[in-house]
Amino acid sequence: MRPDSLYRLTAACLVTHELDSTLRQSGNPFAINTNVFASLDQQIFMWAHVPIVLGLVLLAEAGHRSTIRYGLCVFAVVHVGLHWFYRNQPVYDFSSLASWTLILLAGIFGAAYLVPAKAR
C-alpha cells in the first residue's frame, strides 16, 4: 500500500475516533471523578485540541507536510499504548468494539506508514 494511502487511513481513523469520543459520556480517560469534574474535564479535553489543530494547520501552511504526516503516524501508534494503559480506569469509556477498532486501525496504519518503503 502506498504511503499516501496509509497516512490517509491513519488520519481518517483518528478523526473518526475523535468523533466517537464526543459521543462518550465521560469523554476523557484522565478524569479524576466524573461526577464532580466531568464538565471541566470535557472542556479541558476539547480546548486542548485547539493548539494541536492550529499547530498542524500552521505546519501545513509552512510546507512541512511530511513532518505532519510522520508526527500523526507516530502519535497513532503511541495513542494505542495510551488507550491500553488507561483501559482499566473507572472513567475509561472506549471499550466498545467500534472504539477499539478505530484505535487499533489508526495504530496499524500509522505503524505501516512509518516502515521504510523498501521494507514494505
Side-chain angles (χ1 to χ4, degrees):
M1 194 175 282
R2 293 182 41 219
D4 285 347
S5 298
L6 292 168
Y7 164 75
R8 289 178 183 132
L9 287 166
T10 302
C13 288
L14 282 175
V15 168
T16 306
H17 170 57
E18 284 296 308
L19 292 172
D20 179 45
S21 76
T22 64
L23 301 174
R24 305 285 162 202
Q25 290 296 324
S26 61
N28 186 350
F30 303 107
I32 296 168
N33 180 340
T34 56
N35 295 329
V36 178
F37 297 108
S39 179
L40 175 62
D41 285 347
Q42 288 172 348
Q43 291 297 313
I44 291 169
F45 182 76
M46 179 185 70
W47 288 105
H49 283 76
V50 172
I52 294 168
V53 172
L54 179 61
L56 291 172
V57 169
L58 292 174
L59 281 171
E61 289 176 355
H64 297 285
R65 194 172 105 182
S66 63
T67 303
I68 292 170
R69 288 178 173 213
Y70 181 81
L72 188 74
C73 289
V74 168
F75 172 74
V77 173
V78 171
H79 183 253
V80 173
L82 290 171
H83 275 277
W84 185 257
F85 180 77
Y86 285 105
R87 74 189 185 286
N88 293 323
Q89 295 298 315
V91 296
Y92 186 79
D93 205 16
F94 296 98
S95 56
S96 74
L97 177 61
S99 291
W100 271 104
T101 300
L102 290 168
I103 293 163
L104 292 173
L105 283 176
I108 290 166
F109 292 135
Y113 176 87
L114 297 171
V115 173
K118 291 181 180 179
R120 277 189 230 124

